[in-house]
Amino acid sequence: MCDEQKKAYTANWITIIDNKSFVAGINSQPLYLTESEAQPLLALCAITEFIESNYIGNYQ
């Protein structure tokens, strides 16, 4: 079991993680990733850290 906390990120490109697609845009849901999961995607600029005040989309 992993004790590492997860943070929310938004996709800049179409990103597939665990057979789920995350698409950049208004209707996309945030990705919840640990820092170790996020590092390679951050290095590629495929994701950015989720900033709630700038988020316009609706998710459930």
Side-chain angles (χ1 to χ4, degrees), residues 10 15 17 25 31 34 38 44 48 59:
T10 55
T15 307
I17 300 174
L31 296 87
T34 63
L44 292 170
T48 53
Y59 59 93

Side-chain angles (χ1 to χ4, degrees), residues 9-34:
Y9 297 90
T10 55
N12 294 327
W13 304 337
I14 296 173
T15 307
I16 300 173
I17 300 174
D18 294 331
N19 295 322
K20 291 183 181 178
S21 293
F22 296 89
V23 181
I26 293 174
N27 295 324
S28 63
Q29 294 183 3
L31 296 87
Y32 291 94
L33 304 171
T34 63

